[in-house]
C-alpha cells in the first residue's frame, strides 16, 4: 500500500517502528512491524483527509499510538508471558517432584479405604441381650445393648473372582 504519509516522513516512521519492536523475538518482530506500520499509515491517511499535511498526519498518528516503549512492553507481554507461565509451571512441577523424592518418594505406601455403602445404624435394647448368627454386638453399657444385623455375604460371579475383585450386590 502506498500512502501519502509513507512518502512524507519515512525516517520518523522507521525510527518509531525500530523502537516499538526492539527486544521482541525475531519471528514476531517483522509481523508486529508490518502491523504497526499498516496501522500508522492508515491513521495518517485519515488525518490527511481531514486537512493535515503528510508530515503532521504521520506525527499525529505516532503520537496517538503512544510511546514506543509502551508498545514494546505490551507486545512483550503478549509474546513472552505464555512462555513464562509454561516455564513457571514446569519449575513448580520439578520442585514438587524433587521434594517428593526427598521425602521418601514411593517407598511408603498409603492405602485409602473407600466406603461404598453407608454404615449400618445400630439398634439398641434395654435389659435383654440379643443373640443369633446374623447379629453383632456393638456395645454394652449400663444395661443397654446395641447391635447390628450382619449383611449376608455378597454373591461373587466366577468372572469377578477371576479378575481378582469382589463387588457387593
Amino acid at each position: 500500500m502506498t500512502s501519502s504519509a509513507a512518502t512524507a516522513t519515512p525516517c520518523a516512521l522507521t525510527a518509531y517502528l525500530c523502537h516499538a519492536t526492539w527486544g521482541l523475538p525475531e519471528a514476531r518482530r517483522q509481523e508486529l512491524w508490518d502491523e504497526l506500520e499498516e496501522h500508522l499509515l492508515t491513521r495518517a491517511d485519515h488525518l490527511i483527509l481531514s486537512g493535515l499535511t503528510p508530515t503532521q498526519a504521520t506525527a499525529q498518528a505516532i503520537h496517538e499510538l503512544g510511546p514506543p516503549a509502551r508498545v514494546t512492553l505490551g507486545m512483550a507481554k503478549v509474546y513472552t508471558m505464555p512462555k513464562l507461565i509454561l516455564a513457571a509451571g514446569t519449575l513448580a512441577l520439578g520442585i514438587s517432584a524433587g521434594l517428593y523424592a526427598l521425602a521418601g518418594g514411593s517407598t511408603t505406601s498409603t492405602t485409602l479405604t473407600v466406603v461404598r455403602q453407608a454404615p449400618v445404624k445400630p439398634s439398641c435394647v434395654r435389659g435383654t441381650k440379643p443373640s443369633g448368627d446374623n447379629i453383632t454386638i456393638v456395645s454394652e453399657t449400663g444395661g443397654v445393648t446395641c447391635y447390628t444385623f450382619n449383611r449376608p455375604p455378597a454373591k461373587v460371579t466366577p468372572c469377578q473372582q477371576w479378575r481378582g475383585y469382589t463387588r457387593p450386590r
Side-chain angles (χ1 to χ4, degrees), residues 2-10 13 40-45 48 54-55 57-58:
T2 304
S3 164
S4 302
T7 57
T9 54
L13 185 60
L40 286 168
L41 293 175
T42 301
R43 180 63 184 140
D45 284 342
I48 289 169
T55 305
T58 303

Side-chain angles (χ1 to χ4, degrees), residues 3-37:
S3 164
S4 302
T7 57
T9 54
C11 288
L13 185 60
T14 303
Y16 183 85
L17 293 171
C18 283
H19 287 99
T21 58
W22 179 83
L24 293 176
E26 275 305 313
R28 300 292 184 181
R29 188 174 190 169
Q30 186 61 49
E31 180 183 337
L32 180 62
W33 178 294
D34 293 341
E35 184 179 333
L36 286 174
E37 183 177 39

Side-chain angles (χ1 to χ4, degrees), residues 61-138:
I62 289 172
H63 178 74
E64 289 175 2
L65 196 55
R70 189 180 78 198
V71 174
T72 302
L73 181 60
M75 290 299 112
K77 286 180 184 177
V78 168
Y79 292 120
T80 59
M81 282 307 288
K83 290 179 184 176
L84 290 175
I85 290 170
L86 179 63
T90 304
L91 179 65
L93 182 62
I95 289 172
S96 64
L99 291 175
Y100 178 74
L102 287 174
S106 62
T107 57
T108 60
S109 64
T110 304
T111 304
L112 297 176
T113 305
V114 177
V115 178
R116 296 173 71 154
Q117 295 178 347
V120 178
K121 185 177 179 183
S123 300
C124 297
V125 292
R126 185 178 297 276
T128 60
K129 185 174 180 179
S131 62
D133 292 339
N134 65 342
I135 292 178
T136 301
I137 304 294
V138 177

